[in-house]
Amino acid sequence: MNRHVTVGLDDSTESHAAAAWAAREASSRGVALRLVHVEEWPVTPEIPLTLTEALVERYETLLREAAERARRDHPGLDVTTEMVHGRAGAELTRAADESEVTALGSRGLGGFVGFLVGSVSLAVVATSTRPVVLVRAEQPGAEAGATESGATESGAAAGGAGAAGAAEQASAGAEDVAATGSPPDVVLGLDISRPCDPLLEFAFGTAARRNLPLRVVHSWSPPASYGYAAIMDPEIGTGLGRRAAEGLAELLRPWRSRFPEVRVVEKVVVGPAARELVHASRGAELLVVGRRGRRPALPHLGHVAHAVIHHSAAPVAVVPLA
């Protein structure tokens, strides 16, 4: 099977951003781009044939225009298109499992409030065996509280506004630099107490391909039993923090050697991981978090991943871990 990056495609603005992100990712990886549109409407005698034909023509045009745009923006990129019928969650998960990474659109709630993530996107993120990235369109003045469009119910799209969406993202990135005082980077949320090689592979690889710094954030909290002791001896907390920093440095050492071109910034913080990662996402180009386990019958995300995909200011990559 050919290596490829997949994007779920419909005609929403969020899908435009996801398709632009996926095209750039495929180009940086040197693999093909696969555009997938899932049609959930039933083919029954109750639906007029003329309506069915109109819908087919509409989405065939959408796929064709998205493919042309990706090829124009990334000369030499191999692009394929596919229209499938079925349940969006199941079909997109199947497609994601066959891909190096999959991009889905997700509507922003305005400013840095966060994502509005639908059941289909959550199902794909929670059950796919491969990384899934949720991308939103940066739209000044977007309606707060708007319901999620087909981007997250059918996938993520590229349409006539794809170039505009990419331009908006670039503009937003420039604004982030001005707001944070530092250039965009890749942020990785890391739990050093558990194996996380796929997560490190994805984060370091992305930073290397995009020539970006990698900011690794490890959050820790002292056990509840330390509460009284910490009051009596504040140095206890200092010692725990120092051991956490040493553990993070040790974990990253072989990856620094493997990716010497990546500038790595290590950050150990005290507090809830979700809160720290959402804060760190401001000004970032991508936030990378892990997900453990797979429950096909009951899509499930850990509380940290669930929080950041709803509130991150940056696109979120969720990487499944064994």
Side-chain angles (χ1 to χ4, degrees):
M1 181 180 299
N2 293 333
R3 297 171 55 204
H4 59 268
V5 170
T6 292
V7 58
L9 188 69
D10 64 24
D11 53 6
S12 70
T13 304
E14 292 70 41
S15 275
H16 307 333
W21 190 96
R24 180 184 177 191
E25 182 70 8
S27 179
S28 71
R29 288 173 176 259
V31 303
L33 174 65
R34 180 187 184 192
L35 306 174
V36 178
H37 173 73
V38 180
E39 233 1 299
E40 288 195 302
W41 46 266
V43 179
T44 67
E46 290 77 16
I47 298 180
L49 180 60
T50 54
L51 177 58
T52 300
E53 291 175 343
L55 287 172
V56 170
E57 182 178 353
R58 172 184 175 184
Y59 288 111
E60 285 179 343
T61 300
L62 173 70
L63 287 165
R64 182 177 64 255
E65 291 179 348
E68 291 172 353
R69 185 174 303 106
R71 294 188 185 103
R72 182 178 65 246
D73 293 342
H74 302 277
L77 180 63
D78 180 14
V79 184
T80 62
T81 63
E82 181 180 356
M83 185 185 302
V84 298
H85 296 274
R87 302 303 300 174
E91 293 300 330
L92 287 173
T93 299
R94 176 187 60 79
D97 287 346
E98 299 171 350
S99 308
E100 293 195 3
V101 61
T102 294
L104 301 177
S106 190
R107 173 161 294 181
L109 299 181
F112 285 141
V113 175
F115 289 114
L116 185 63
V117 184
S119 59
V120 171
S121 294
L122 284 176
V124 177
V125 168
T127 60
S128 175
T129 59
R130 303 293 298 167
V132 177
V133 179
L134 294 181
V135 184
R136 69 174 180 179
E138 295 292 347
Q139 293 182 315
E143 295 182 12
T147 56
E148 185 180 23
S149 71
T152 51
E153 291 306 309
S154 296
E168 288 171 355
Q169 285 187 309
S171 175
E175 292 173 0
D176 287 339
V177 172
T180 62
S182 59
D185 56 7
V186 174
V187 175
L188 168 62
L190 203 58
D191 179 358
I192 65 175
S193 66
R194 300 181 179 183
C196 50
D197 282 0
L199 190 59
L200 288 160
E201 176 82 40
F202 185 91
F204 270 89
T206 300
R209 286 188 299 272
R210 300 202 173 194
N211 193 29
L212 292 172
L214 176 62
R215 184 166 25 132
V216 184
V217 179
H218 170 60
S219 178
W220 68 277
S221 298
S225 59
Y226 276 71
Y228 181 75
I231 295 175
M232 301 300 295
D233 183 5
E235 289 300 317
I236 291 180
T238 301
L240 291 175
R242 183 167 53 251
R243 284 194 290 273
E246 292 170 351
L248 178 60
E250 182 64 25
L251 181 64
L252 295 177
R253 185 169 292 110
W255 293 92
R256 284 176 175 271
S257 298
R258 182 175 171 183
F259 293 89
E261 71 277 23
V262 176
R263 184 170 68 85
V264 182
V265 177
E266 301 173 15
K267 185 175 182 181
V268 176
V269 295
V270 181
R275 182 191 69 192
E276 296 298 334
L277 290 174
V278 169
H279 178 73
S281 72
R282 299 193 176 192
E285 183 160 312
L286 183 69
L287 171 60
V288 184
V289 295
R291 172 185 62 78
R292 300 189 182 277
R294 174 173 177 169
R295 303 180 183 182
L298 181 63
H300 174 76
L301 284 171
H303 71 278
V304 173
H306 192 277
V308 300
I309 66 174
H310 282 86
H311 299 289
S312 170
V316 179
V318 181
V319 180
L321 304 173

Coordinates of all heavy atoms in Angstrom, one line a residue, residues 22 122 271:
A22 N -3.2 19.1 5.6 CA -2.9 17.7 5.1 C -2.0 17.8 3.9 O -1.1 16.9 3.7 CB -4.2 16.9 4.8
L122 N -14.6 12.8 17.3 CA -14.2 12.2 18.6 C -14.1 10.7 18.4 O -13.1 10.1 18.9 CB -15.3 12.5 19.7 CG -15.2 13.9 20.3 CD1 -16.3 14.1 21.3 CD2 -13.9 14.2 21.0
G271 N 1.2 21.4 38.1 CA -0.2 21.8 37.9 C -0.8 20.8 37.0 O -0.2 19.9 36.5

